[in-house]
Amino acid sequence: MKAIRDMVLRHKAGERIGVTSVCSAHPLVIEATLRHALATGQPIALVEATSNQVNQDGGYTGMVPAGFRDFVHGIADRAGFPRERLVLGGDHLGPNAWTVLPAAEAMDKAEVMVADYVRAGFRKIHLDCSMSCADDPVPLPERTIAERAARLCRAAEDAFEGDADDAPVYVIGTEVPVPGGAAEDLEELAVTTPEAAIATVNIHDTLFRDAGLGGALERVIATVVQPGVEFDHDKVVDYRPERATALSRAIEPVDHIVFEAHSTDYQTPEALAALVRDHFAILKVGPGVTFALREALWALDAIEAETIAAPRRARVREVTLARMHAEPKHWRKYYHATGEALALQLQYSLSDRIRYYWPDPEIAAAQDRLFANLRETPPPLPLVSQHLPLAYAAVRAGRAALDPAELVMAHVAATLDAYHGACHPDA
């Protein structure tokens, strides 16, 4: 993946540059990402899937890696985004989806998954074996994590066929807490120590070389650490550069490796820019963009209530909440409130567990009906301004049409603007 490796080298040479990684399986979020990349002239668009979203068993999206590739390629073709500028990544690839199994079985499945990702054309591979399986100690020893990562790297290398410039690049390490936002309330996070960050790099270096993976080691572009950013249900822990100064300096002498920052969702534009400046050159966002998607859909639901006769309304918000109550498996272990407080968490928690429900057939049908209603009876501009002011501004500037899907994507794009500004401050 020459384009990403070149970005890392430019950053290591002193250029304040980075890349945004959008981790989502929602078609409108993906299309918004690709349109935004076109509009802002970005050389690549990086779209990632997690091991829970997409794997050989289907994940919660029902897609295997090749299916997700085709899904994204179809969106790119509709958006007019060149496939050669699209980079697919796999996030937290390891035994995470199978931790209820003994480690031997879970790692066998993880090997199959990683190989499937690479064969399907995914070229940015995050090797994350930090999670304990059914018969593992908690937490796992660092050496075990790195040994398992080397094993999965070997599976990826064996699966790759193609030109050397297109060989997979790798990310090692993991963030704390777990992916997708903290499950409990939090106040302040412990920043990864410089010693711990470098120890992760060094042990992977040693074990990759021992496994004959010297070539792959040269393509390790990043390590994931905790810079002190996170979010829970209703709070955001903002990046404080002074707390990460030593960590930032620690990576400077390490060749061809930067930091990858997870859980950057909801950080301010200023904080995102500071992260890139401080060598967190890969910024991942997931719930932040799907939270924006939900905001836009709820706004369209409110517009529908004011413009469409009651018998014709899709009531997408009502249908979604009913389905979440009927099938609580995706939020039950995260939301512990009751009554009205639970209703608020289900809809508005920053961890955005609602994102797991958009593929539900009843919800998807309600969204289709909502869009059909608002296409048949387009909302007046003042109503768009009232409920979707960012999308209204895009319509007035000629960047979006008065179409429900375009209004949603314009609202999502406003979130991506902050990331683009951080990664390309001179643009």
Side-chain angles (χ1 to χ4, degrees), residues 169-190:
V169 298
Y170 297 102
V171 177
I172 57 174
T174 193
E175 88 279 22
V176 180
V178 296
E184 306 296 339
D185 290 343
L186 51 86
E187 296 298 334
E188 189 172 274
L189 295 171

Side-chain angles (χ1 to χ4, degrees), residues 186-189 228-231 235-239 267:
L186 51 86
E187 296 298 334
E188 189 172 274
L189 295 171
V229 302
E230 189 52 86
F231 55 91
K235 294 189 296 297
V236 179
V237 178
D238 290 315
Y239 180 56
Q267 294 289 308

Side-chain angles (χ1 to χ4, degrees), residues 52-106:
N52 284 330
Q53 286 174 325
V54 174
N55 57 51
Q56 67 268 34
D57 298 330
Y60 72 76
T61 63
M63 285 186 275
V64 299
F68 184 81
R69 174 203 61 205
D70 294 344
F71 169 68
V72 177
H73 280 175
I75 296 170
D77 293 346
R78 291 197 302 274
F81 191 86
R83 291 188 184 185
E84 61 269 19
R85 288 167 56 190
L86 174 65
V87 178
L88 295 177
D91 194 29
H92 296 287
L93 299 191
N96 192 46
W98 304 286
T99 53
V100 296
L101 299 176
E105 295 179 43

Side-chain angles (χ1 to χ4, degrees), residues 142 192-201 225:
E142 186 79 12
T192 302
T193 66
E195 296 78 12
I198 298 306
T200 293
V201 172
V225 293

